[in-house]
Coordinates of all heavy atoms in Angstrom, one line a residue:
M1 N 0.9 -1.2 0.0 CA 0.0 0.0 0.0 C 0.9 1.2 0.0 O 1.8 1.4 0.8 CB -0.9 0.0 1.3 CG -1.7 1.2 1.4 SD -2.9 1.0 2.8 CE -2.6 2.5 3.7
A2 N 0.6 2.1 -0.9 CA 1.4 3.4 -1.0 C 0.6 4.5 -0.5 O -0.7 4.6 -0.8 CB 1.8 3.6 -2.4
I3 N 1.1 5.5 0.2 CA 0.4 6.7 0.7 C 1.1 7.8 0.1 O 2.3 8.1 0.3 CB 0.5 6.7 2.2 CG1 -0.1 5.5 2.9 CG2 -0.2 8.0 2.7 CD1 0.2 5.3 4.3
L4 N 0.4 8.7 -0.6 CA 0.9 9.9 -1.2 C 0.8 11.0 -0.1 O -0.2 11.3 0.5 CB 0.1 10.3 -2.4 CG 0.6 11.5 -3.2 CD1 2.0 11.1 -3.8 CD2 -0.3 11.8 -4.4
V5 N 2.0 11.6 0.2 CA 1.9 12.7 1.2 C 2.2 14.0 0.6 O 2.4 14.1 -0.6 CB 3.0 12.4 2.3 CG1 2.6 11.0 3.1 CG2 4.4 12.3 1.8
E6 N 2.3 15.1 1.4 CA 2.5 16.4 0.9 C 3.7 16.4 0.1 O 4.7 15.8 0.4 CB 2.7 17.4 2.1 CG 1.4 17.6 2.9 CD 0.4 18.4 2.0 OE1 0.8 19.4 1.4 OE2 -0.8 18.1 2.0
P7 N 3.7 17.2 -1.0 CA 4.8 17.3 -1.9 C 6.1 17.9 -1.2 O 5.9 18.9 -0.5 CB 4.4 18.1 -3.1 CG 3.0 18.4 -2.9 CD 2.6 17.9 -1.5
K8 N 7.2 17.4 -1.5 CA 8.4 18.1 -1.0 C 9.1 18.6 -2.3 O 9.3 17.7 -3.2 CB 9.3 17.1 -0.3 CG 8.8 16.7 1.1 CD 9.8 16.0 1.9 CE 9.2 15.7 3.2 NZ 10.2 15.0 4.1
R9 N 9.4 19.7 -2.4 CA 10.0 20.3 -3.6 C 11.5 20.6 -3.4 O 12.0 21.6 -3.8 CB 9.2 21.6 -3.9 CG 7.8 21.4 -4.3 CD 7.1 22.7 -4.5 NE 5.7 22.4 -4.7 CZ 5.0 22.3 -5.8 NH1 5.7 22.3 -7.0 NH2 3.8 22.1 -5.9
M10 N 12.1 19.7 -2.7 CA 13.6 19.8 -2.5 C 14.4 19.2 -3.7 O 14.1 18.1 -4.1 CB 14.0 19.0 -1.3 CG 13.6 19.6 0.0 SD 14.3 21.2 0.3 CE 16.0 20.9 0.2
P11 N 15.2 20.1 -4.3 CA 16.0 19.6 -5.4 C 17.1 18.6 -4.9 O 17.4 18.5 -3.7 CB 16.7 20.9 -5.9 CG 16.7 21.8 -4.7 CD 15.5 21.4 -3.8
A12 N 17.7 17.9 -5.9 CA 18.8 17.0 -5.5 C 20.1 17.7 -5.3 O 21.1 17.1 -5.0 CB 18.9 15.9 -6.7
G13 N 20.1 19.0 -5.6 CA 21.3 19.8 -5.4 C 20.8 21.2 -5.1 O 19.8 21.7 -5.5
L14 N 21.7 22.0 -4.4 CA 21.5 23.4 -4.1 C 22.6 24.2 -4.8 O 23.8 24.1 -4.4 CB 21.5 23.7 -2.6 CG 20.4 23.0 -1.8 CD1 20.6 23.3 -0.3 CD2 19.0 23.5 -2.3
P15 N 22.3 25.1 -5.8 CA 23.3 26.0 -6.3 C 23.4 27.3 -5.5 O 22.4 27.7 -4.9 CB 22.8 26.3 -7.7 CG 21.3 26.2 -7.6 CD 21.0 25.1 -6.5
F16 N 24.5 27.9 -5.4 CA 24.7 29.1 -4.7 C 25.4 30.1 -5.7 O 26.2 29.8 -6.5 CB 25.6 28.9 -3.5 CG 25.0 28.1 -2.5 CD1 25.2 26.7 -2.5 CD2 24.3 28.6 -1.4 CE1 24.6 25.9 -1.5 CE2 23.7 27.8 -0.4 CZ 23.9 26.5 -0.5
S17 N 24.9 31.4 -5.6 CA 25.4 32.4 -6.5 C 26.8 32.7 -6.3 O 27.3 32.9 -5.2 CB 24.5 33.7 -6.3 OG 25.1 34.8 -7.0
P18 N 27.6 32.9 -7.4 CA 29.0 33.3 -7.2 C 29.1 34.7 -6.8 O 30.2 35.1 -6.3 CB 29.6 33.1 -8.7 CG 28.4 33.1 -9.6 CD 27.2 32.6 -8.7
L19 N 28.0 35.5 -6.8 CA 28.1 36.8 -6.3 C 28.1 36.9 -4.8 O 28.4 37.8 -4.1 CB 26.9 37.6 -6.9 CG 26.8 37.8 -8.3 CD1 25.5 38.5 -8.8 CD2 28.0 38.5 -8.9
E20 N 27.6 35.7 -4.2 CA 27.5 35.6 -2.7 C 28.6 34.8 -2.1 O 29.1 35.0 -1.0 CB 26.1 35.0 -2.3 CG 25.0 35.9 -2.7 CD 23.7 35.3 -2.2 OE1 23.1 34.6 -3.0 OE2 23.3 35.7 -1.1
F21 N 29.0 33.7 -2.9 CA 30.0 32.7 -2.4 C 31.0 32.4 -3.4 O 30.7 32.1 -4.5 CB 29.3 31.4 -2.0 CG 28.3 31.6 -0.9 CD1 27.0 31.7 -1.1 CD2 28.7 31.7 0.5 CE1 26.0 31.8 -0.1 CE2 27.8 31.8 1.5 CZ 26.4 31.9 1.2
N22 N 32.3 32.6 -3.1 CA 33.4 32.4 -4.0 C 33.8 30.9 -4.0 O 34.1 30.4 -3.0 CB 34.6 33.3 -3.6 CG 35.8 33.1 -4.5 OD1 35.8 32.2 -5.3 ND2 36.8 33.9 -4.2
P23 N 33.7 30.2 -5.2 CA 34.0 28.8 -5.2 C 35.5 28.5 -4.8 O 35.8 27.4 -4.4 CB 33.8 28.4 -6.7 CG 33.0 29.5 -7.3 CD 33.2 30.8 -6.4
K24 N 36.3 29.5 -4.8 CA 37.7 29.2 -4.5 C 38.0 29.5 -3.0 O 39.2 29.2 -2.5 CB 38.7 30.1 -5.4 CG 38.4 30.1 -6.8 CD 38.9 28.7 -7.4 CE 38.8 28.7 -8.9 NZ 38.2 27.5 -9.4
D25 N 37.1 30.0 -2.3 CA 37.3 30.4 -0.9 C 36.9 29.2 0.0 O 35.7 28.8 0.1 CB 36.4 31.6 -0.6 CG 36.7 32.1 0.9 OD1 37.1 31.4 1.7 OD2 36.3 33.3 1.1
P26 N 37.8 28.6 0.8 CA 37.5 27.5 1.6 C 36.4 27.8 2.7 O 35.6 27.0 3.0 CB 38.8 27.1 2.3 CG 39.9 27.7 1.4 CD 39.3 28.9 0.8
H27 N 36.4 29.1 3.2 CA 35.4 29.5 4.2 C 34.0 29.4 3.5 O 33.1 29.0 4.1 CB 35.7 30.9 4.7 CG 34.7 31.3 5.7 ND1 33.6 32.2 5.3 CD2 34.5 31.1 7.0 CE1 32.9 32.4 6.3 NE2 33.4 31.7 7.4
D28 N 33.9 30.0 2.3 CA 32.6 29.9 1.6 C 32.2 28.5 1.3 O 31.0 28.1 1.4 CB 32.7 30.7 0.3 CG 32.6 32.2 0.5 OD1 32.4 32.6 1.7 OD2 32.8 33.0 -0.4
Q29 N 33.2 27.6 1.0 CA 32.8 26.2 0.7 C 32.2 25.6 2.0 O 31.2 24.9 1.9 CB 34.1 25.5 0.3 CG 34.6 25.9 -1.1 CD 35.9 25.3 -1.4 OE1 36.5 24.5 -0.6 NE2 36.4 25.7 -2.6
T30 N 32.8 25.9 3.1 CA 32.3 25.4 4.4 C 30.9 25.9 4.7 O 30.1 25.2 5.2 CB 33.3 25.7 5.5 OG1 34.6 25.1 5.2 CG2 32.9 25.1 6.9
T31 N 30.7 27.2 4.4 CA 29.5 27.9 4.7 C 28.3 27.3 3.9 O 27.3 27.0 4.5 CB 29.6 29.4 4.4 OG1 30.6 29.9 5.3 CG2 28.3 30.1 4.7
V32 N 28.6 27.1 2.6 CA 27.4 26.5 1.8 C 27.1 25.1 2.2 O 25.9 24.7 2.2 CB 27.7 26.6 0.3 CG1 27.9 28.0 -0.2 CG2 28.9 25.7 -0.2
L33 N 28.1 24.3 2.7 CA 27.9 23.0 3.2 C 27.0 23.0 4.4 O 26.1 22.2 4.5 CB 29.2 22.3 3.4 CG 29.1 20.7 3.5 CD1 28.4 20.1 2.3 CD2 30.5 20.2 3.6
A34 N 27.3 24.0 5.3 CA 26.5 24.1 6.5 C 25.1 24.6 6.2 O 24.2 24.0 6.9 CB 27.2 25.2 7.5
V35 N 24.9 25.4 5.3 CA 23.6 25.8 4.9 C 22.8 24.7 4.3 O 21.6 24.4 4.7 CB 23.6 27.0 3.8 CG1 22.3 27.3 3.2 CG2 24.2 28.2 4.5
A36 N 23.4 23.9 3.4 CA 22.7 22.7 2.8 C 22.4 21.7 3.9 O 21.3 21.1 3.9 CB 23.7 22.1 1.7
K37 N 23.3 21.5 4.9 CA 23.0 20.5 5.9 C 21.8 21.0 6.7 O 20.9 20.1 7.0 CB 24.3 20.5 6.8 CG 24.1 19.4 8.0 CD 25.4 19.4 8.8 CE 25.2 18.4 9.9 NZ 26.4 18.2 10.7
E38 N 21.7 22.2 7.0 CA 20.5 22.7 7.7 C 19.2 22.6 6.9 O 18.2 22.1 7.4 CB 20.7 24.2 8.1 CG 19.6 24.7 9.0 CD 19.8 26.2 9.4 OE1 21.0 26.6 9.4 OE2 18.8 26.9 9.6
V39 N 19.2 22.9 5.6 CA 18.1 22.8 4.7 C 17.6 21.4 4.6 O 16.4 21.1 4.8 CB 18.4 23.4 3.4 CG1 17.3 23.0 2.3 CG2 18.6 24.9 3.4
Y40 N 18.5 20.5 4.3 CA 18.1 19.1 4.2 C 17.7 18.4 5.5 O 16.8 17.5 5.5 CB 19.2 18.2 3.5 CG 19.2 18.5 2.0 CD1 20.1 19.4 1.4 CD2 18.3 17.9 1.2 CE1 20.1 19.6 0.0 CE2 18.3 18.1 -0.2 CZ 19.2 19.0 -0.7 OH 19.1 19.2 -2.1
A41 N 18.3 18.8 6.6 CA 17.9 18.3 7.9 C 16.4 18.7 8.2 O 15.7 17.9 8.8 CB 18.8 18.8 9.0
K42 N 16.0 19.9 7.8 CA 14.6 20.3 8.0 C 13.7 19.6 7.1 O 12.6 19.2 7.4 CB 14.5 21.8 7.9 CG 15.1 22.6 9.1 CD 15.0 24.0 8.9 CE 15.6 24.8 10.1 NZ 15.6 26.2 9.9
A43 N 14.1 19.4 5.9 CA 13.3 18.8 4.8 C 13.1 17.2 5.0 O 12.1 16.7 4.8 CB 13.8 19.0 3.4
Y44 N 14.2 16.6 5.5 CA 14.2 15.2 5.7 C 14.7 14.8 7.1 O 15.8 14.3 7.2 CB 15.0 14.5 4.6 CG 14.6 14.7 3.2 CD1 15.0 15.8 2.4 CD2 13.5 13.9 2.7 CE1 14.5 16.0 1.1 CE2 13.0 14.1 1.5 CZ 13.5 15.1 0.7 OH 13.0 15.4 -0.6
P45 N 14.0 15.2 8.1 CA 14.5 15.0 9.5 C 14.8 13.6 9.9 O 15.6 13.4 10.8 CB 13.4 15.6 10.4 CG 12.2 15.5 9.6 CD 12.6 15.6 8.1
N46 N 14.1 12.6 9.3 CA 14.3 11.2 9.7 C 15.0 10.3 8.7 O 14.9 9.1 8.7 CB 13.0 10.6 10.1 CG 12.3 11.4 11.2 OD1 13.0 11.7 12.2 ND2 11.0 11.6 11.1
Q47 N 15.7 10.9 7.7 CA 16.3 10.2 6.6 C 17.8 10.5 6.8 O 18.3 11.5 7.3 CB 16.0 10.7 5.2 CG 14.5 10.9 4.9 CD 13.7 9.7 5.1 OE1 12.9 9.6 6.0 NE2 13.8 8.8 4.1
Q48 N 18.7 9.5 6.3 CA 20.1 9.8 6.2 C 20.3 10.6 5.0 O 19.7 10.3 4.0 CB 20.8 8.5 6.1 CG 20.8 7.7 7.4 CD 21.6 6.4 7.2 OE1 21.4 5.7 6.3 NE2 22.4 6.0 8.2
V49 N 21.1 11.6 5.1 CA 21.5 12.5 3.9 C 23.0 12.6 3.8 O 23.6 13.0 4.8 CB 20.8 13.9 4.1 CG1 21.1 14.8 3.0 CG2 19.3 13.8 4.3
A50 N 23.5 12.4 2.6 CA 24.9 12.6 2.3 C 25.0 13.8 1.5 O 24.3 13.9 0.4 CB 25.5 11.4 1.6
L51 N 25.8 14.7 1.8 CA 26.0 16.0 1.1 C 27.4 16.1 0.4 O 28.4 15.7 1.1 CB 25.8 17.2 2.0 CG 24.4 17.3 2.6 CD1 24.4 18.4 3.6 CD2 23.3 17.5 1.6
Y52 N 27.5 16.6 -0.8 CA 28.8 16.7 -1.5 C 28.9 18.1 -2.1 O 28.1 18.4 -2.9 CB 28.8 15.6 -2.6 CG 28.7 14.2 -2.1 CD1 27.5 13.6 -2.0 CD2 29.8 13.5 -1.6 CE1 27.3 12.3 -1.5 CE2 29.7 12.3 -1.0 CZ 28.5 11.7 -1.0 OH 28.3 10.4 -0.5
E53 N 29.8 18.9 -1.6 CA 30.0 20.2 -2.1 C 31.0 20.2 -3.2 O 32.0 19.5 -3.2 CB 30.5 21.1 -0.9 CG 30.9 22.5 -1.3 CD 32.4 22.6 -1.6 OE1 33.2 22.0 -0.9 OE2 32.7 23.3 -2.6
H54 N 30.6 20.9 -4.3 CA 31.5 21.0 -5.5 C 31.9 22.4 -5.8 O 31.0 23.3 -5.7 CB 30.8 20.5 -6.7 CG 30.5 19.0 -6.7 ND1 31.4 18.1 -7.3 CD2 29.6 18.2 -6.1 CE1 30.9 16.9 -7.1 NE2 29.8 17.0 -6.4
A55 N 33.1 22.6 -6.1 CA 33.6 24.0 -6.4 C 34.3 23.9 -7.8 O 35.2 24.7 -8.1 CB 34.6 24.5 -5.3
D56 N 33.8 23.0 -8.6 CA 34.5 22.8 -9.9 C 33.8 23.6 -11.0 O 34.1 23.3 -12.2 CB 34.5 21.3 -10.2 CG 33.1 20.7 -10.3 OD1 32.1 21.3 -9.8 OD2 33.0 19.5 -10.7
T57 N 32.9 24.5 -10.7 CA 32.3 25.3 -11.7 C 32.4 26.8 -11.2 O 33.1 27.1 -10.3 CB 30.8 25.0 -11.9 OG1 30.1 25.3 -10.7 CG2 30.6 23.5 -12.3
D58 N 31.7 27.7 -11.9 CA 31.8 29.1 -11.6 C 31.0 29.4 -10.3 O 31.1 30.5 -9.7 CB 31.3 30.0 -12.7 CG 32.2 30.0 -13.9 OD1 33.4 29.7 -13.7 OD2 31.8 30.3 -15.0
S59 N 30.2 28.5 -9.9 CA 29.4 28.7 -8.6 C 29.5 27.4 -7.8 O 29.6 26.3 -8.3 CB 27.9 29.0 -9.0 OG 27.3 27.9 -9.7
L60 N 29.5 27.6 -6.5 CA 29.4 26.5 -5.6 C 28.1 25.8 -5.6 O 27.0 26.4 -5.9 CB 29.7 26.9 -4.1 CG 31.0 27.4 -3.8 CD1 31.0 28.2 -2.4 CD2 31.9 26.2 -3.7
H61 N 28.1 24.5 -5.5 CA 26.8 23.8 -5.5 C 27.0 22.5 -4.6 O 28.1 22.0 -4.4 CB 26.3 23.4 -6.8 CG 27.3 22.7 -7.7 ND1 28.3 23.3 -8.3 CD2 27.3 21.4 -8.1 CE1 29.0 22.4 -9.0 NE2 28.4 21.2 -8.9
V62 N 25.9 22.1 -3.9 CA 25.9 21.0 -3.1 C 24.9 19.9 -3.6 O 23.8 20.3 -3.8 CB 25.6 21.4 -1.6 CG1 25.6 20.1 -0.7 CG2 26.6 22.4 -1.1
H63 N 25.4 18.7 -3.8 CA 24.5 17.6 -4.2 C 24.1 16.8 -2.9 O 24.9 16.7 -2.0 CB 25.2 16.7 -5.2 CG 25.5 17.3 -6.5 ND1 24.6 17.4 -7.5 CD2 26.6 17.9 -7.0 CE1 25.1 18.0 -8.5 NE2 26.3 18.3 -8.2
A64 N 22.9 16.2 -3.0 CA 22.4 15.5 -1.8 C 22.0 14.1 -2.3 O 21.4 13.9 -3.4 CB 21.3 16.1 -1.2
V65 N 22.3 13.1 -1.5 CA 21.8 11.7 -1.7 C 21.0 11.5 -0.4 O 21.5 11.5 0.7 CB 22.9 10.7 -1.8 CG1 22.4 9.3 -1.9 CG2 23.8 11.1 -3.0
I66 N 19.7 11.1 -0.6 CA 18.8 11.0 0.5 C 18.4 9.5 0.7 O 18.0 8.9 -0.2 CB 17.5 11.8 0.3 CG1 17.9 13.3 0.1 CG2 16.6 11.7 1.5 CD1 16.9 14.1 -0.6
G67 N 18.6 9.0 1.9 CA 18.3 7.6 2.2 C 16.8 7.4 2.1 O 16.0 8.2 2.5
A68 N 16.4 6.2 1.6 CA 15.0 5.9 1.4 C 14.3 5.5 2.6 O 13.0 5.6 2.6 CB 14.9 4.8 0.3
I69 N 15.0 5.0 3.6 CA 14.3 4.5 4.8 C 14.2 5.6 5.9 O 15.2 6.2 6.3 CB 15.0 3.3 5.4 CG1 15.1 2.2 4.3 CG2 14.3 2.7 6.6 CD1 13.8 1.7 3.7
N70 N 12.9 5.7 6.4 CA 12.7 6.6 7.5 C 13.3 6.0 8.7 O 12.9 4.9 9.1 CB 11.2 6.9 7.7 CG 10.9 7.9 8.9 OD1 11.4 7.7 10.0 ND2 10.1 8.8 8.5
L71 N 14.2 6.6 9.4 CA 14.9 5.9 10.5 C 14.1 5.8 11.8 O 14.4 4.9 12.6 CB 16.2 6.8 10.9 CG 17.2 6.8 9.8 CD1 18.4 7.8 10.2 CD2 17.8 5.5 9.4
E72 N 13.0 6.5 11.9 CA 12.1 6.4 13.0 C 11.0 5.2 12.8 O 10.7 4.5 13.6 CB 11.3 7.7 13.3 CG 12.1 8.6 14.1 CD 11.3 9.8 14.6 OE1 10.1 9.8 14.5 OE2 11.9 10.7 15.2
T73 N 10.4 5.2 11.6 CA 9.3 4.3 11.3 C 9.7 3.1 10.5 O 8.9 2.1 10.5 CB 8.3 5.1 10.5 OG1 8.8 5.4 9.2 CG2 7.7 6.3 11.2
G74 N 10.8 3.2 9.8 CA 11.2 2.1 9.0 C 10.5 2.0 7.6 O 10.8 1.2 6.8
Q75 N 9.7 3.0 7.4 CA 8.9 3.0 6.1 C 9.8 3.6 5.0 O 10.7 4.4 5.2 CB 7.7 3.9 6.2 CG 6.6 3.3 7.0 CD 5.4 4.2 7.0 OE1 5.5 5.4 7.4 NE2 4.3 3.7 6.6
K76 N 9.6 3.1 3.8 CA 10.4 3.6 2.6 C 9.7 4.9 2.1 O 8.5 5.0 1.9 CB 10.4 2.5 1.5 CG 11.2 2.9 0.3 CD 11.2 1.9 -0.7 CE 12.1 2.3 -1.9 NZ 12.1 1.3 -2.9
C77 N 10.6 5.8 1.7 CA 10.2 7.1 1.2 C 10.8 7.2 -0.1 O 11.9 7.1 -0.4 CB 10.7 8.2 2.1 SG 10.5 9.9 1.4
T78 N 9.9 7.5 -1.2 CA 10.3 7.6 -2.6 C 9.8 8.9 -3.0 O 8.7 9.3 -3.0 CB 9.8 6.5 -3.5 OG1 10.1 5.2 -2.9 CG2 10.3 6.6 -4.9
V79 N 10.8 9.7 -3.6 CA 10.4 11.0 -4.2 C 10.3 10.8 -5.7 O 11.3 10.4 -6.3 CB 11.4 12.1 -3.8 CG1 11.1 13.4 -4.5 CG2 11.6 12.3 -2.3
I80 N 9.1 11.1 -6.3 CA 8.9 11.0 -7.6 C 8.4 12.4 -8.1 O 7.3 12.8 -7.8 CB 7.8 10.0 -8.0 CG1 8.3 8.6 -7.4 CG2 7.6 9.8 -9.4 CD1 7.2 7.5 -7.4
G81 N 9.3 13.1 -8.9 CA 8.9 14.4 -9.2 C 8.8 15.3 -8.0 O 9.6 15.4 -7.2
I82 N 7.6 15.9 -7.8 CA 7.4 16.7 -6.7 C 6.6 16.0 -5.6 O 6.3 16.6 -4.5 CB 6.6 18.0 -7.0 CG1 5.2 17.7 -7.6 CG2 7.4 18.9 -8.0 CD1 4.3 18.9 -7.7
N83 N 6.3 14.7 -5.8 CA 5.5 13.9 -4.8 C 6.4 13.0 -4.0 O 7.3 12.3 -4.6 CB 4.4 13.1 -5.6 CG 3.4 14.0 -6.3 OD1 3.0 15.0 -5.7 ND2 3.3 13.7 -7.5
T84 N 6.1 12.9 -2.8 CA 6.8 11.9 -1.9 C 5.8 10.8 -1.6 O 4.7 11.0 -1.1 CB 7.2 12.6 -0.6 OG1 8.1 13.7 -0.9 CG2 7.9 11.6 0.3
V85 N 6.2 9.6 -1.8 CA 5.4 8.4 -1.6 C 6.0 7.6 -0.5 O 7.2 7.2 -0.5 CB 5.2 7.6 -2.9 CG1 4.3 6.4 -2.7 CG2 4.7 8.4 -4.1
I86 N 5.1 7.3 0.5 CA 5.6 6.3 1.6 C 4.9 5.0 1.3 O 3.8 4.9 1.1 CB 5.0 6.9 2.9 CG1 5.4 8.4 3.2 CG2 5.5 6.0 4.1 CD1 6.9 8.6 3.3
T87 N 5.8 4.0 1.3 CA 5.3 2.6 1.1 C 5.6 1.7 2.3 O 6.5 2.0 3.1 CB 5.8 2.0 -0.2 OG1 7.2 2.1 -0.1 CG2 5.3 2.7 -1.4

């Protein structure tokens, strides 16, 4: 049985403007990773989330890999487009 829950519109990555954060600055790299950690912790409080910060383009960006299993309930969470499905 699948239950469709409120849509989560979290992207698989977060881009940051080069006007605000310099990709070459280690402090800015640490800052965007901390921001992403906070954003994903609020969006997926019971999932494991791995974050990867990249400075290989003109702007910093952070990619996220989100675990499928809710650590509290053991239910599987699947994000399909803008919909989150709990099975």
Side-chain angles (χ1 to χ4, degrees):
M1 176 171 128
I3 303 167
L4 188 62
V5 297
E6 287 294 313
K8 289 192 179 184
R9 297 175 187 265
M10 286 299 303
L14 296 176
F16 294 87
S17 169
L19 301 175
E20 296 181 272
F21 297 101
N22 179 352
K24 307 290 185 226
D25 183 342
H27 179 264
D28 284 354
Q29 293 171 1
T30 302
T31 300
V32 299
L33 196 54
V35 169
K37 183 177 180 179
E38 183 177 336
V39 167
Y40 281 98
K42 287 181 181 178
Y44 298 95
N46 300 318
Q47 314 300 111
Q48 291 178 314
V49 178
L51 300 172
Y52 302 92
E53 174 266 320
H54 289 267
D56 58 349
T57 64
D58 292 338
S59 63
L60 286 168
H61 54 285
V62 178
H63 292 277
V65 178
I66 302 160
I69 304 301
N70 182 310
L71 298 175
E72 279 189 7
T73 66
Q75 291 181 303
K76 183 177 179 184
C77 172
T78 305
V79 178
I80 303 169
I82 62 168
N83 297 309
T84 300
V85 179
I86 307 294
T87 55

